[in-house]
């Protein structure tokens, strides 16, 4: 599948009607589930690595929640460049895009299956994807990873 076909597929997944209420368990992680829309990304765009990467940072996010119970919602941003490299940032949702103050996790990505926006090819601007990570259950802690259209 070409980059442009992947990008079109991602856009079509986002355009689906809202949240169905169906969750899927993240492999090897009892503290994370992901939505039906993200399941489409996992299966159709080889996006399981994104779920696993988010899961690898749950200890830090759990610690942030335990230190301040208002940290129960997180903004997950994935930036992708035209060389299939990127960066994952997870921030406190309440602080929004306030840079380093809000950022709890930052991780470089050497190879990503997420498509680069073909319209950005000439300007070489990064393509940014946004997801939400919400604390769904508090005993035991269970996080839910959602598409923006499912929140």
């Amino acid at each position: 599948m070409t980059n442009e076909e992947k990008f079109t597929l991602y856009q079509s997944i986002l355009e689906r009607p809202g949240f169905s209420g169906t969750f899927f368990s993240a492999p090897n992680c009892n503290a994370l589930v992901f939505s039906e829309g993200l399941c489409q990304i996992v299966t159709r765009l080889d996006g399981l690595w994104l779920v696993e990467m988010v899961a690898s940072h749950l200890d830090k996010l759990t610690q942030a929640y335990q230190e301040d119970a208002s940290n129960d919602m997180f903004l997950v941003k994935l930036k992708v460049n035209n060389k299939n490299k990127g960066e994952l940032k997870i921030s406190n949702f309440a602080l929004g895009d306030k840079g380093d103050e809000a950022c709890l996790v930052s991780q470089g990505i050497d190879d990503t299956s997420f498509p680069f926006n073909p319209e950005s090819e000439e300007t070489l601007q990064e393509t940014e994807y946004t997801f939400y990570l919400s604390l769904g259950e508090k005993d035991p802690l269970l996080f839910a990873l959602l598409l923006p259209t499912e929140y």
Side-chain angles (χ1 to χ4, degrees):
M1 186 179 313
T2 68
N3 178 71
E4 193 165 331
E5 290 169 332
K6 284 182 178 182
F7 190 77
T8 301
L9 177 57
Y10 179 82
Q11 294 299 321
S12 72
I13 291 170
L14 277 184
E15 291 170 2
R16 292 181 47 232
F19 182 55
S20 71
T22 302
F23 283 105
F24 300 87
S25 297
N28 304 317
C29 182
N30 295 330
L32 180 64
V33 294
F34 55 95
S35 65
E36 186 175 352
L38 266 186
C39 183
Q40 291 294 314
I41 288 172
V42 164
T43 56
R44 299 175 73 190
L45 289 172
D46 299 322
L48 183 59
W49 64 267
L50 175 67
V51 173
E52 292 172 335
M53 190 174 282
V54 169
S56 74
H57 296 292
L58 287 184
D59 286 345
K60 184 163 184 125
L61 303 177
T62 298
Q63 180 181 353
Y65 168 72
Q66 290 170 338
E67 290 172 2
D68 179 356
S70 69
N71 283 326
D72 62 351
M73 183 75 176
F74 303 92
L75 191 61
V76 178
K77 291 202 173 200
L78 172 65
K79 288 185 180 181
V80 177
N81 67 27
N82 66 338
K83 305 267 191 250
N84 290 334
K85 295 187 183 302
E87 181 179 32
L88 177 77
K89 286 190 174 187
I90 304 176
S91 304
N92 177 315
F93 183 80
L95 295 177
D97 286 329
K98 292 188 179 177
D100 291 340
E101 178 185 347
C103 187
L104 299 167
V105 170
S106 180
Q107 180 176 353
I109 303 166
D110 291 333
D111 187 29
T112 172
S113 60
F114 273 71
F116 181 73
N117 183 346
E119 293 177 8
S120 300
E121 192 74 44
E122 290 180 21
T123 62
L124 300 179
Q125 291 182 328
E126 294 176 316
T127 302
E128 184 172 274
Y129 298 93
T130 300
F131 307 94
Y132 296 111
L133 183 65
S134 175
L135 186 56
E137 299 287 330
K138 296 183 179 177
D139 189 23
L141 292 180
L142 180 66
F143 292 88
L145 188 58
L146 306 160
L147 293 176
T149 54
E150 296 174 314
Y151 174 67

